[in-house]
């Protein structure tokens, strides 16, 4: 099992007060853009709430993702999200990875500094409706300040989650797992390539 929700960002560009001076943002109401996302990264701080809505599993390190990552399982197969019903998000919890969109952080080109980026293809980003990202004099509007604060918290929690996974691995608490699933239509399938925490060892 593998996932790369980062591909949800179609055209991320560095946020710029001149380039994006007149941009406005409406709340997302059409969640169909998440319909093909079958798993999403979770921070450890989310486990309590997320576990009430989704199975939480751990993906082993790979070339695409060099660290063990906890994810919420949203579907049993690739490109399947069982929690998207038409345009509606049909779960009690929306993971922080989704809530930070259309923003993200990434290293600036040719630098070790971290910059704030925005997906300029985001469906609710426009120049006529919603909350402005910048004031007329180019300063960050409150809605943007709040979003950047959320990004900083998310990145810090992601670092703490990486440390937690490294500690669990060092204690040999991960166990490879497979699951045989019987579907309502009578078909059966096997889901593998993931790990769980060994409760007896824990």
């Amino acid at each position: 099992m593998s996932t790369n929700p980062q591909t949800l960002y179609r055209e991320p560009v560095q946020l710029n007060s001149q380039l994006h001076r007149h941009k406005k943002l409406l709340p997302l109401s059409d969640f169909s853009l998440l319909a093909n996302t079958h798993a999403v990264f979770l921070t450890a701080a989310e486990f309590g709430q997320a576990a009430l809505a989704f199975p939480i599993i751990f993906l082993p390190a790979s070339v695409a993702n060099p660290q063990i990552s906890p994810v919420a399982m949203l579907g049993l197969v690739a490109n399947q999200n069982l929690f998207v019903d038409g345009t509606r998000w049909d779960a009690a919890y929306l993971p922080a990875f989704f809530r930070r969109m259309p923003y993200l952080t990434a290293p600036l080109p040719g630098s070790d500094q971290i910059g704030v980026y925005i997906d300029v293809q985001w469906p609710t980003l426009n120049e006529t409706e919603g909350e402005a990202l910048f004031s007329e004099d180019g300063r960050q509007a409150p809605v943007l300040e709040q979003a950047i604060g959320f990004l900083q918290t998310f990145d810090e929690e992601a670092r703490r989650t990486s440390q937690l996974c490294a500690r669990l691995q060092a204690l040999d608490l991960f166990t490879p797992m497979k699951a045989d699933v019987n579907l309502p239509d009578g078909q059966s399938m096997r889901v593998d390539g993931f790990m769980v925490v060994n409760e007896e060892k824990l």
Side-chain angles (χ1 to χ4, degrees), residues 163-183:
Q163 294 170 353
L164 170 65
C165 290
R167 182 61 175 158
L168 292 174
Q169 185 178 31
L171 294 173
D172 193 29
L173 292 180
F174 286 122
T175 299
M177 184 66 69
K178 298 178 182 179
D180 293 316
V181 181
N182 295 317
L183 302 178

Side-chain angles (χ1 to χ4, degrees), residues 137-155:
D137 60 3
R139 296 183 180 181
Q140 294 177 1
V143 65
L144 181 55
E145 290 181 343
Q146 183 179 6
I148 291 175
F150 185 84
L151 286 174
Q152 293 170 341
T153 300
F154 180 88
D155 287 351

Side-chain angles (χ1 to χ4, degrees), residues 12-177:
V13 300
Q14 186 180 353
L15 193 62
N16 183 290
S17 61
Q18 296 301 317
L19 187 62
H20 304 117
R21 173 73 63 88
H22 304 295
K23 292 296 185 183
K24 296 182 178 182
L25 192 64
L26 285 166
L28 184 66
S29 59
D30 182 355
F31 289 89
S32 61
L33 80 167
L34 305 179
N36 294 328
T37 306
H38 68 284
V40 64
F41 172 77
L42 290 175
T43 65
E46 299 178 84
F47 286 179
Q49 287 181 282
L52 299 176
F54 325 105
I56 299 175
I57 60 174
F58 293 83
L59 297 184
S62 64
V63 175
N65 186 8
Q67 297 178 327
I68 294 173
S69 299
V71 300
M73 274 188 72
L74 307 177
L76 298 174
V77 296
N79 301 320
Q80 177 195 63
N81 190 332
L82 298 173
F83 298 93
V84 173
D85 181 11
T87 62
R88 192 169 63 92
W89 179 254
D90 189 21
Y93 183 73
L94 184 65
F97 187 99
F98 294 147
R99 283 184 279 128
R100 69 177 185 159
M101 298 172 73
Y103 307 100
L104 74 157
T105 54
L108 297 173
S111 170
D112 58 358
Q113 298 295 312
I114 299 297
V116 176
Y117 291 74
I118 188 170
D119 182 3
V120 294
Q121 293 289 331
W122 189 250
T124 68
L125 186 67
N126 66 95
E127 295 189 358
T128 58
E129 296 181 284
E131 296 193 68
L133 304 186
F134 295 95
S135 62
E136 288 299 323
D137 60 3
R139 296 183 180 181
Q140 294 177 1
V143 65
L144 181 55
E145 290 181 343
Q146 183 179 6
I148 291 175
F150 185 84
L151 286 174
Q152 293 170 341
T153 300
F154 180 88
D155 287 351
E156 178 58 31
E157 292 299 337
R159 284 189 288 271
R160 293 178 61 202
T161 302
S162 178
Q163 294 170 353
L164 170 65
C165 290
R167 182 61 175 158
L168 292 174
Q169 185 178 31
L171 294 173
D172 193 29
L173 292 180
F174 286 122
T175 299
M177 184 66 69

